[in-house]
Amino acid sequence: VVHGRPDNGLGIALITEMNRVAEENGFIAVYPDGIDQEWNYVRGVPLMQQRERDDAEFYRDLIADLSIDLNIDMDRVYLTGFSNGGFMTERQICESPDTFAAYAFIGSTLFPGITNLCEDAPPVPILYMHGNEDVSIPWEGSQQVVPGLSEAIYISYPVPATIAYWGTHN
C-alpha cells in the first residue's frame, strides 16, 4: 500500500485500515516509506523535475527481500497507491507488469510520459478510483506552464482521459 505525498507508510496504514482487512482475510500488508515522503514516478520523464532514485526497482527488490523471510505466493502480490503513490503504482504497471498480479490506483491520473513507458507493457488487471471533488488531483486534470514551452502542459491528465487510455491499453 503506497502512500501519497507528503505522507508515510504509517499514515496510509491508518487511513486505509488495511491491517484489519489483511488479518480478516489472511494476507500480508506492507507500507513502505518513500524518500522525503514521496515516490519518484517521473524518473526519466522529459520536462519533469528529475531525481536519480529508481523507486520502481525498490518495489521489485522489496518483494524479493520479503519473500526470503515470509511465505509469499508470488502469483498473488498486489499493489495499490493513493495520490503520489497512485502515480507510482501506475508506473509499476508499465515497469513491472510481471511483479504484481493486479494494481489499484486511487486519486491519481495519467501523467506526462506514461504512455511512452507503457508502450510495450502487456494488459494488466486494474482497479481505478477517483473522486470528482479531489482538490489535489482534479477530475479535469492539472496543467502547468513549463519554461521554454509556449503553452501549458498537463501534469495530471483528466480522469476521462485516464480511463480511456487504460481501457484502450488493456
Side-chain angles (χ1 to χ4, degrees):
V1 181
V2 184
H3 65 78
R5 177 183 52 225
D7 202 358
N8 58 33
L10 177 60
I12 197 72
L14 294 172
I15 291 169
T16 62
E17 298 183 20
M18 195 61 74
N19 284 341
R20 179 185 52 77
V21 177
E23 188 173 319
E24 290 172 2
N25 293 281
F27 65 87
I28 301 164
V30 177
Y31 311 91
D33 287 333
I35 294 174
D36 296 328
Q37 298 183 302
E38 68 179 4
W39 300 102
N40 187 22
Y41 66 91
V42 296
R43 181 182 48 81
V45 175
L47 304 177
M48 303 302 278
Q49 181 182 2
Q50 295 300 304
R51 293 173 192 84
E52 290 301 315
R53 71 177 187 271
D54 186 345
D55 285 340
E57 182 178 28
F58 166 76
Y59 289 118
R60 292 187 297 271
D61 291 346
L62 176 64
I63 299 303
D65 287 350
L66 290 173
S67 71
I68 294 169
D69 297 320
L70 302 172
N71 183 18
I72 297 175
D73 180 347
M74 297 303 277
D75 292 329
R76 296 175 62 197
V77 178
Y78 304 91
L79 182 64
T80 185
F82 172 70
S83 192
N84 176 256
F87 289 112
M88 191 65 220
T89 298
E90 266 188 293
R91 183 170 186 128
Q92 287 298 109
I93 291 170
C94 306
E95 286 209 23
S96 306
D98 56 344
T99 302
F100 300 96
Y103 304 81
F105 51 104
I106 299 112
S108 61
T109 62
L110 289 176
F111 58 88
I114 191 163
T115 56
N116 295 335
L117 293 170
C118 295
E119 209 166 58
D120 297 323
V124 294
I126 293 172
L127 170 68
Y128 179 57
M129 298 188 321
H130 200 100
N132 60 3
E133 294 186 25
D134 189 325
V135 295
S136 295
I137 311 298
W139 185 271
E140 63 279 353
S142 297
Q143 292 185 316
Q144 181 175 332
V145 175
V146 176
L149 294 180
S150 59
E151 56 186 54
I153 63 166
Y154 277 107
I155 57 171
S156 66
Y157 284 84
V159 169
T162 301
I163 294 168
Y165 172 78
W166 286 112
T168 301
H169 176 272
N170 280 348

